[in-house]
Amino acid sequence: MSEHTLVVDFDGWYQCRLSTDPDPTWEPRGVSGYTRAVGYESDFDRVLYLQRSDIPERDYRHGEQGNPANHVSVTVKSARVEGPPCDGTHPDLLVGAEVRLLRGSQFIMWNQIVTDGVERLVPLIVPFEIDIRTKNADIVLRRYDPLVPGEIGDRFWDVGDPRLYIQRLPVDYVHLSSEVMESTKISDFNGYFQMRREWLQLEITKSPDSVEREALQMRLSVLDAASETTNPNASPGLIENRLGLQCIWEHPIRGDAHVEGSQLLGGEVLAGGIDDRALWWDTRFWHGGWDGDLLRGFMKGSLRMPFQVGG
């Protein structure tokens, strides 16, 4: 087992277009929940997009100027090598690298169709393949974790016993998280969406496109119906309540790996077979700060990999 561990910390805003209660999970455009596909937007796909460049322009919503959620980009913020003191490592080369979830990773949620309570809000992420690469792709760290190793793979609907994938379920769920508010810099939920309402109203008057005006009006109507922005003394509405949520996952990554350029970091990132527990990678991350109008949230976490100094 390696004495050293390469630890990569990342965060940023992501986008995920999905239906919400009481709509069925796979409702394509939203009917009765607080999320709707509007105007020229395509149907919901529930895919987690961590980079703006991967999102079709038609599906990228804009908000008021200065809103941090306008900038979708999950990137590496810091990296380090943990373990006995060592020289010649350069983990800082990973700072700024882009983070993605590949294979069309989706939230698998049941809404209220088969269950009620918190379970409908703490989803699986399936498939799960994390990819970290520098801007010029000279360093690539990618690894896949099958939901259930073997023939079932990611077909969670074929799994009769959820205990087989219990390691992939969220480990914690916080309704009002101070960590989320600190990371997103959003603590006045009413004020946050009041600014959105005012911006939408202005954009409706400015747009020469009738389809766009109708789409903006739909966003405004849904926001009004699901919030309490007109009464600052009221309890947060449904859409405001989601801004403070935090869902935390922590699990190993055990499957196929692809590593390029780790020698530039001053060593070798190790990855063995799925039966070699000592060479599994580990991740802990959370999603929170969900903006049901922009269909975006904040992601923050880390990836830990066995590292052989010197290669």
Side-chain angles (χ1 to χ4, degrees):
M1 183 174 180
S2 173
E3 292 184 316
H4 294 89
T5 303
L6 175 63
V7 184
V8 177
D9 300 316
F10 51 82
D11 69 40
W13 291 89
Y14 68 90
Q15 177 168 301
C16 184
R17 304 174 63 252
L18 75 172
S19 61
T20 49
D21 291 335
D23 280 334
T25 306
W26 283 274
E27 160 56 39
R29 299 195 68 81
V31 177
S32 52
Y34 66 87
T35 55
R36 310 285 174 87
V38 299
Y40 298 112
E41 295 175 353
S42 58
D43 289 350
F44 289 151
D45 60 7
R46 299 169 305 282
V47 172
L48 288 154
Y49 292 100
L50 275 55
Q51 300 300 326
R52 169 69 179 90
S53 58
D54 298 334
I55 303 172
E57 182 61 35
R58 66 187 292 187
D59 293 332
Y60 192 83
R61 292 186 181 180
H62 296 276
E64 64 280 5
Q65 185 175 7
N67 188 324
N70 282 337
H71 306 286
V72 171
S73 181
V74 179
T75 59
V76 174
K77 297 302 190 293
S78 65
R80 61 193 179 277
V81 174
E82 294 183 346
C86 58
D87 297 321
T89 61
H90 309 283
D92 55 298
L93 292 177
L94 287 167
V95 174
E98 295 180 340
V99 181
R100 286 176 170 84
L101 294 176
L102 305 181
R103 305 194 188 201
S105 292
Q106 300 180 6
F107 285 134
I108 302 301
M109 302 179 69
W110 301 118
N111 292 352
Q112 291 176 322
I113 302 305
V114 297
T115 186
D116 198 3
V118 72
E119 291 84 359
R120 72 180 191 273
L121 295 173
V122 287
L124 290 164
I125 296 177
V126 180
F128 189 92
E129 183 173 29
I130 192 167
D131 178 274
I132 298 177
R133 62 181 59 214
T134 53
K135 294 294 177 63
N136 55 6
D138 56 352
I139 303 174
V140 178
L141 308 173
R142 181 169 72 242
R143 194 165 189 180
Y144 163 71
D145 184 63
L147 185 65
V148 180
E151 293 184 3
I152 291 176
D154 290 320
R155 301 197 313 274
F156 62 93
W157 54 86
D158 287 343
V159 182
D161 186 352
R163 287 176 296 182
L164 293 175
Y165 56 78
I166 193 170
Q167 78 285 344
R168 287 276 295 280
L169 291 171
V171 297
D172 200 4
Y173 184 83
V174 182
H175 283 273
L176 185 60
S177 167
S178 59
E179 183 179 11
V180 167
M181 289 186 282
E182 180 180 354
S183 297
T184 62
K185 297 179 173 53
I186 301 170
S187 57
D188 180 1
F189 300 165
N190 281 358
Y192 177 81
F193 280 118
Q194 180 61 31
M195 291 178 62
R196 181 72 45 75
R197 293 177 73 254
E198 294 171 357
W199 180 83
L200 287 168
Q201 290 166 342
L202 179 61
E203 291 299 303
I204 291 170
T205 65
K206 290 166 53 179
S207 175
D209 185 327
S210 61
V211 176
E212 181 182 24
R213 289 197 303 271
E214 183 177 354
L216 292 168
Q217 183 60 57
M218 175 61 76
R219 287 175 59 183
L220 180 59
S221 298
V222 172
L223 189 59
D224 284 342
S227 70
E228 293 291 346
T229 54
T230 57
N231 182 1
N233 296 318
S235 300
L238 183 62
I239 199 167
E240 297 157 322
N241 173 271
R242 300 300 189 249
L243 276 174
L245 297 184
Q246 181 184 44
C247 191
I248 305 170
W249 291 262
E250 184 174 12
H251 61 82
I253 307 176
R254 306 158 294 171
D256 295 337
H258 178 82
V259 177
E260 296 180 24
S262 66
Q263 70 276 7
L264 299 174
L265 303 173
E268 180 184 1
V269 172
L270 305 176
I274 201 165
D275 295 323
D276 193 346
R277 181 181 294 269
L279 297 182
W280 286 355
W281 298 1
D282 291 287
T283 187
R284 179 182 173 88
F285 62 91
W286 58 260
H287 287 183
W290 174 250
D291 182 328
D293 172 54
L294 293 180
L295 305 176
R296 299 199 189 118
F298 198 84
M299 178 179 183
K300 184 173 184 177
S302 63
L303 179 65
R304 302 176 63 89
M305 297 153 279
F307 190 70
Q308 183 66 51
V309 174

